[in-house]
Amino acid sequence: MSQYDLVVIGTGPGGYVCAIKAAQLGLKVAVVEKRATHGGTCLNVGCIPSKALLHASEMLAEAEHSFEELGIKVGKPKVDWAKMLAHKDKTVDSNVSGIAFLFKKNKIDAHRGTGRILGTGRVEVKAEDGSTTVLETKNIVIATGSEVMPLPGVEIDEKQIVSSTGALALDKVPGRMVVVGAGVIGLELGSVYARLGSEVVFVEFLDKILGPMDGDVSKQFQRMLKKQGMNFKLSSKVTAVSKKGKSLEVTVEPAAGGEAAAETLEADVVLVAIGRKPYTDGLGLKEAGVALDERGRVKTDAHYRTNVDGIYAIGDVIAGPMLAHKAEDEGVALAEMLAGQAGHVNYDVIPGVVYTQPEVASVGKTEEELKADGVKYKAGKFPFTANGRAKAMLHSDGFVKVLADAATDRVLGVHIVGFGAGEMIHEAAVLMEFGGSSEDLGRTCHAHPTMSEAVKEAALATFAKPIHI
Ligand code: FAD
Ligand code: NAI
């Protein structure tokens, strides 16, 4: 007899959600986590702490740049960095302890230690003191997430040369910061420090920022960030970082190569944010015979099954976007399948949000993808400069773009850059989940005055004419 129906290794958004859902459906569940607290990368050193610093620094920018125009007089605001970090830490604490509470509430056994798969049905847990316990279970879920992608030749010390983890806990706001990679992490954390007063330069390999996003969005967004004082070296790569006293010398070369064209940037802190890679160290996958794909991710089928009976995987450690909500939805779907129900994730409708100011949000296909797939489409666009609420809030930068099938009018993609884009994107996600058309969206009554009216107007621009431009 197995002790458990399910043992989940890793309690990030994928693992903890899978465990809770499975327990709700009547399975006897245990989790194994090597970190002192639950919640994984996302709650401890990712989504949640970054959003605490993003919000605090946005408030600073509002006070510095908007209050006067809004008729509010306060002196020049000052940054209390220690307090800002304390706000971040308190936010993390309250979220991670919430997960521990949910485990208790759902009668899930939480084992602290490193999990290693001994084969079908057996997981060894090694505690910090070296002692081991073996859990017996019908099913095992690998939800061990991802780790920082290293930059060859550049050693991360998490003090001066940092990954996102070090960047969330710097001892002071740096004067000059070089960010390697203008992707999601780089742009979010780079904009935190730019608002706090650092001179920020991004070195990006590609010729655009936010590579996978819609080209229109990426171009306009870069202009907005430039206006906020951030600088970009596109089509460039960092080949070396050396310490010179308290400073760092960063060697930048053209992406295509060419030492002759190399230049040196000086920085106090370098943030390396060139992607993340699946984390499978010490899990015993080789010995257990679990296959990986060519990029080191655990290989699964559409039902999250690995090639070994009774072993499944979800989240950052498998293929697909490395997003917390993707991991969570996979956790729910897998728990449902293990409980004998039909679980499903619609990978065509997974929103992506960059929590900068303004935010960037996207769901479905970009124009570039539709062109590459040879799909005939129509596009409607509406700027926030023509939206009353945006003007009242001094947040009229950006636009909404709706892409719909030319023949059927079915919405295929929605892209927003603007204040609150991360909230607005969900009406597009729901519409697309139901196979809705741009006419459905454009004829749905939207409350006035809201930023969301720009979504309706962009939809109107797709199948007819918008009213306000
Ligand atoms: P993880 O959250 O990485 O959790 C895996 C857990 O497994 C960890 O706690 C780890 O300690 C544990 N573990 C690993 N191996 C073992 C083992 N052998 N035994 C026991 N435990 C083990 N995504 C978003 O959607 N929105 C955001 O705003 C966002 N912001 C981010 C900001 C930053 C700075 C970073 C780095 C990431 C961000 N992400 C964001 C991505 C998000 O954090 C990940 O997609 C998400 O955490 C993946 O969840 P997961 O459960 O697959 O893995
Ligand atoms: P990313 O893949 O978003 O961006 C990495 C960037 O670095 C790319 O633009 C790439 O072209 C560039 N790059 C790669 N090698 C380089 C080099 N040698 N020199 C210069 N540039 C180089 O990865 P990032 O930002 O590290 O984030 C990792 C993951 O975390 C992402 O998959 C993302 O989905 C997730 N995440 C999500 C967030 C959100 O949803 N808001 C926030 C933060 C992270």
Side-chain angles (χ1 to χ4, degrees), residues 10 12-14 33-35 40-41 46-47 51 115 144-145 316 322-325:
E33 172 58 57
K34 61 181 183 170
R35 218 184 268 270
T41 304
C47 327
K51 269 75 239 177
T144 50
D316 278 12
M322 287 182 166
L323 294 173
H325 41 285

Side-chain angles (χ1 to χ4, degrees), residues 9-15 32-35 37 39-42 44-47 50-51 113-116 143-146 164 168 185 188-189 276 279 281-283 314-317 322-325 327 353 355:
I9 309 177
T11 58
V32 183
E33 172 58 57
K34 61 181 183 170
R35 218 184 268 270
T37 50
T41 304
C42 181
N44 288 281
V45 289
C47 327
S50 59
K51 269 75 239 177
T114 303
R116 189 162 67 96
T144 50
S146 61
S164 53
L168 290 166
I185 291 183
E188 286 189 357
L189 293 177
R276 293 180 62 84
Y279 185 76
D281 287 2
L283 256 181
I314 54 171
D316 278 12
V317 79
M322 287 182 166
L323 294 173
H325 41 285
V353 178
Y355 298 86

Side-chain angles (χ1 to χ4, degrees), residues 189-213:
L189 293 177
S191 59
V192 165
Y193 286 102
R195 286 195 284 262
L196 296 176
S198 307
E199 265 174 46
V200 177
V201 180
F202 294 91
V203 180
E204 166 58 49
F205 194 82
L206 301 176
D207 60 0
K208 65 186 278 230
I209 67 169
L210 280 181
M213 286 275 181

Side-chain angles (χ1 to χ4, degrees), residues 6-314:
L6 172 63
V7 168
V8 181
I9 309 177
T11 58
Y16 86 72
V17 168
C18 182
I20 292 172
K21 188 71 204 170
Q24 286 173 348
L25 294 173
L27 271 56
K28 173 115 186 79
V29 182
V31 293
V32 183
E33 172 58 57
K34 61 181 183 170
R35 218 184 268 270
T37 50
H38 299 298
T41 304
C42 181
L43 273 62
N44 288 281
V45 289
C47 327
I48 296 298
S50 59
K51 269 75 239 177
L53 293 182
L54 279 156
H55 178 71
S57 60
E58 275 163 24
M59 293 299 99
L60 174 74
E62 285 271 297
E64 282 178 341
H65 306 301
S66 303
F67 275 17
E68 190 150 341
E69 202 173 335
L70 294 170
I72 306 166
K73 283 210 181 294
V74 289
K76 187 174 163 40
K78 281 198 211 126
V79 174
D80 181 341
W81 179 234
K83 199 149 186 191
M84 218 177 255
L85 289 178
H87 160 65
K88 176 211 64 171
D89 292 339
K90 202 169 147 206
T91 311
V92 168
D93 286 349
S94 109
N95 278 280
V96 298
S97 55
I99 307 301
F101 165 78
L102 290 173
F103 284 160
K104 274 205 188 99
K105 182 178 165 206
N106 287 286
K107 301 193 171 43
I108 294 165
D109 292 343
H111 297 268
R112 168 92 195 272
T114 303
R116 189 162 67 96
I117 298 173
L118 301 177
T120 299
R122 295 179 77 228
V123 175
E124 177 197 79
V125 184
K126 188 170 191 182
E128 252 176 351
D129 64 7
S131 61
T132 57
T133 323
V134 174
L135 309 177
E136 298 204 337
T137 175
K138 289 182 194 148
N139 301 292
I140 298 169
V141 172
I142 302 167
T144 50
S146 61
E147 62 175 338
V148 173
M149 179 92 78
L151 179 60
V154 176
E155 201 175 319
I156 289 174
D157 60 19
E158 296 297 15
K159 294 265 176 248
Q160 258 190 305
I161 305 176
V162 296
S163 71
S164 53
T165 303
L168 290 166
L170 292 178
D171 47 12
K172 61 177 192 214
V173 174
R176 299 156 304 173
M177 179 181 245
V178 168
V179 180
V180 194
V184 198
I185 291 183
L187 293 171
E188 286 189 357
L189 293 177
S191 59
V192 165
Y193 286 102
R195 286 195 284 262
L196 296 176
S198 307
E199 265 174 46
V200 177
V201 180
F202 294 91
V203 180
E204 166 58 49
F205 194 82
L206 301 176
D207 60 0
K208 65 186 278 230
I209 67 169
L210 280 181
M213 286 275 181
D214 191 90
D216 247 3
V217 168
S218 156
K219 251 187 252 144
Q220 181 145 350
F221 184 52
Q222 189 187 338
R223 278 200 290 270
M224 290 170 180
L225 296 181
K226 190 128 193 8
K227 253 190 8 208
Q228 293 176 26
M230 287 166 249
N231 287 303
F232 296 88
K233 291 199 172 293
L234 301 183
S235 305
S236 303
K237 62 183 178 191
V238 166
T239 50
V241 179
S242 56
K243 294 195 181 180
K244 274 275 150 63
K246 285 190 174 163
S247 272
L248 296 169
E249 280 189 359
V250 184
T251 311
V252 180
E253 284 183 19
E259 270 175 51
E263 61 171 319
T264 306
L265 300 176
E266 297 225 334
D268 301 303
V269 167
V270 170
L271 164 60
V272 177
I274 59 165
R276 293 180 62 84
K277 56 176 188 167
Y279 185 76
T280 53
D281 287 2
L283 256 181
L285 296 187
K286 201 167 173 199
E287 297 77 359
V290 175
L292 303 182
D293 70 11
E294 69 296 343
R295 288 167 63 182
R297 303 172 295 198
V298 178
K299 216 167 160 174
T300 56
D301 66 10
H303 292 91
Y304 311 108
R305 286 182 295 224
T306 68
N307 59 317
V308 178
D309 241 14
I311 304 182
Y312 303 79
I314 54 171

